[in-house]
Amino acid sequence: MSKLQLKPQDPKVNDKKLISITPESANWDYVGMDIVRLEKGDLYKVETGDREMIALLLSGKANVKTKENHWNDIGKRMSVFEKTPSYSVYAPNDDFVELEALTEVEVAICTAPGKGSFKARLISPEDVDVAQRGSGNMSRTIHSVLPETADADSLFIFEVYTPEGNWSSYPPHKHDTDDFPNETYLEETYYHKINPSEGGFAIQRVYTDDRSLNETIVVNDGDAVLVPKGHHPCATPPGYELYYLNVMAGPIRSWKFTNDPDHDWLTKQ
């Protein structure tokens, strides 16, 4: 298995975590992401420390608290494949997020360095821009939970839906060079869900121009992939639709990328 791939763990023996990524475990500087599964009635509290945080409800309903706020009965979808925009809570550093699960809940806890610039807030489905990107068998649907235009110190958060048989994050692109305004260095995680999950799979490549990194990864439902550098396209076979959650962060909060020159001609079609 690729060193960039993480398989889901048993949450009953892993502090309710299916996936746990920290800057230390990923051997990078910015992005953290935990996928947490809660049973109905569970309480789960996370201190933000020196990081800002998004708690994104992948599925289920919960009451959510921060130091100064309390939102009751948030969440709507019971599966990401209902394709309705998510509910999320943003919390700055020196705060906390506490969830009380009203149903079974799967939540993504996404973190990056914070400066305390913004207050805790609810990001409701109405706040999430939904857009189509690409064309033909490169088309997909983007839910912009925390885009560049949203208030945050470091984090970007996107949910992406790729129809069966399509390519996504395509044409291949990279954002691994600190060369603003031409390109920005952004670490990235992918959390994949596949419908139907039984027997389902997708393909993700992660490769650099010089092929010093050149991985082709078969992902199943619930897998995560680290993208420390390089291009990182995905493909899903006929019969299986692909969802992934993207978490990105870097030293400059701007998303500037460079397409793989071998495939840039596809942007002109």
Side-chain angles (χ1 to χ4, degrees), residues 65-71 95-96 119-120:
K65 289 182 182 179
T66 62
K67 275 185 179 178
E68 298 180 356
N69 303 90
H70 189 182
W71 297 277
D95 205 327
F96 67 82
K119 293 183 178 181

Side-chain angles (χ1 to χ4, degrees), residues 39-245:
E39 301 297 328
K40 182 178 179 180
D42 281 351
L43 288 175
Y44 190 81
K45 184 176 180 179
V46 188
E47 302 282 347
T48 61
D50 62 356
R51 299 171 70 78
E52 65 178 357
M53 179 180 294
I54 286 280
L56 185 151
L57 288 173
L58 295 159
S59 60
K61 297 183 179 183
N63 297 330
V64 183
K65 289 182 182 179
T66 62
K67 275 185 179 178
E68 298 180 356
N69 303 90
H70 189 182
W71 297 277
N72 287 326
D73 196 18
I74 68 169
K76 182 177 180 181
R77 65 192 190 190
M78 293 296 109
S79 163
V80 295
F81 288 104
E82 291 177 20
K83 301 179 184 176
T84 57
S86 63
Y87 279 84
S88 303
V89 168
Y90 173 89
N93 50 295
D94 299 320
D95 205 327
F96 67 82
V97 172
E98 182 179 274
L99 296 104
E100 178 188 5
L102 303 178
T103 65
E104 184 176 278
V105 166
E106 189 171 303
V107 58
I109 306 295
C110 314
T111 69
K115 301 175 184 176
S117 305
F118 307 101
K119 293 183 178 181
R121 68 184 188 274
L122 176 69
I123 302 173
S124 68
E126 293 74 24
D127 300 319
V128 177
D129 181 64
V130 177
Q132 300 299 311
R133 189 173 296 166
S135 61
N137 59 0
M138 297 182 290
S139 64
R140 61 271 195 194
T141 302
I142 313 293
H143 290 193
S144 296
V145 178
L146 199 68
E148 192 168 343
T149 54
D151 289 342
D153 290 323
S154 300
L155 280 170
F156 293 94
I157 309 285
F158 300 95
E159 296 187 292
V160 180
Y161 292 90
T162 307
E164 58 175 293
N166 277 20
W167 283 83
S168 198
S169 294
Y170 199 87
H173 66 275
K174 72 180 186 76
H175 37 73
D176 58 13
T177 303
D178 191 3
D179 184 30
F180 184 79
N182 301 307
E183 186 177 331
T184 47
Y185 172 81
L186 294 169
E187 302 160 355
E188 186 167 16
T189 57
Y190 278 65
Y191 176 58
H192 292 279
K193 301 286 281 184
I194 296 170
N195 184 39
S197 60
E198 185 71 25
F201 70 95
I203 301 293
Q204 181 153 29
R205 286 198 70 195
V206 183
Y207 67 95
T208 54
D209 290 331
D210 64 4
R211 301 306 192 266
S212 59
L213 175 62
N214 190 10
E215 300 271 1
T216 300
I217 302 165
V218 178
V219 295
N220 300 112
D221 184 68
D223 288 359
V225 173
L226 305 174
V227 182
K229 60 182 178 179
H231 309 281
H232 39 278
C234 303
T236 185
Y240 298 94
E241 57 183 340
L242 175 66
Y243 161 96
Y244 54 83
L245 171 69

